[in-house]
Amino acid sequence: MIKLIQNALTIRKGSVNFMDQNGVVIGFNPRPDGNPLSFYVYSRNGDLVDTGDTFIEQYLDGVPYHFGNDGHIIKHGVTSEEEDKLIITLVPDDGGDPLTLQIVCMNSLYYTANFVLSDKDRVAFRKPSRPTDAESARDWQLAEINHAMDELVHAREQVSKALADLDLIKQKLLAR
């Protein structure tokens, strides 16, 4: 599964980062002129796949595919009217035919990365399957609430540390 990875910094910078369950990241930093990225998806036989007129963030977020190992950029000279493109295979998670994703690069800075995901990180890529019986559904909801609370505690710890660092800087400035 591919997920859109966002936080306050990426939103402020206008970055777009996609990660699959294998830890492969494809990102653009920043979006060209703040405009949406143009993209095309093709089937194995070269037919254009209908993406429902969605933005790439909506199309790729949660799609049951992962990035192939064949990503490359086609770069055209400044005299060409052709667009520079990042081309990568989208491999289905459950088998089936792969798709080809072409993202028009324009003037954005394209980058990739590979991360090793912990078991906790991999949970974010699991498809949530809601249980059918009431007791299991309650347990599932409690687990989801506990997970959200753990993330909130972690965020609070980060904010507290940042506030303590800022207070220390303030004290040093006032002491001058």
Side-chain angles (χ1 to χ4, degrees):
M1 176 185 297
I2 297 172
K3 291 223 172 229
L4 174 66
I5 306 299
Q6 286 185 302
N7 61 30
L9 182 61
T10 60
I11 292 169
R12 190 186 70 200
K13 286 177 26 180
S15 298
V16 177
N17 298 297
F18 301 101
M19 180 184 274
D20 68 14
Q21 72 266 23
N22 300 318
V24 176
V25 173
I26 292 181
F28 294 86
N29 188 24
R31 287 188 201 171
D33 303 322
N35 294 320
L37 294 169
S38 298
F39 73 103
Y40 307 95
V41 179
Y42 295 94
S43 65
R44 174 175 266 183
N45 61 3
D47 293 334
L48 187 64
V49 174
D50 181 17
T51 58
D53 293 327
T54 59
F55 294 111
I56 194 168
E57 296 91 336
Q58 296 161 331
Y59 180 76
L60 284 181
D61 191 29
V63 72
Y65 287 79
H66 58 274
F67 297 119
N69 295 327
D70 60 349
H72 63 282
I73 285 191
I74 296 178
K75 201 103 169 108
H76 299 283
V78 287
T79 58
S80 174
E81 292 186 20
E82 292 287 323
E83 299 169 318
D84 295 343
K85 295 178 184 172
L86 162 65
I87 299 174
I88 191 163
T89 300
L90 297 177
V91 181
D93 292 339
D94 59 359
D97 290 333
L99 301 173
T100 301
L101 172 66
Q102 294 187 8
I103 302 173
V104 177
C105 293
M106 297 172 66
N107 295 325
S108 63
L109 301 173
Y110 148 82
Y111 56 89
T112 63
N114 285 306
F115 293 99
V116 176
L117 299 178
S118 68
D119 290 338
K120 184 177 177 183
D121 292 335
R122 289 187 187 282
V123 170
F125 290 94
R126 276 195 328 219
K127 288 183 181 178
S129 54
R130 292 183 177 254
T132 52
D133 64 60
E135 186 174 329
S136 294
R138 185 181 66 78
D139 292 344
W140 181 82
Q141 289 170 338
L142 287 173
E144 289 295 308
I145 289 169
N146 287 336
H147 178 71
M149 289 173 61
D150 288 343
E151 288 183 354
L152 181 59
V153 166
H154 179 69
R156 284 182 176 169
E157 288 171 352
Q158 289 179 321
V159 169
S160 293
K161 184 180 180 318
L163 286 172
D165 291 345
L166 286 173
D167 191 44
L168 183 61
I169 291 170
K170 180 181 174 183
Q171 289 175 10
K172 286 181 180 180
L173 287 173
L174 290 175
R176 287 183 181 184

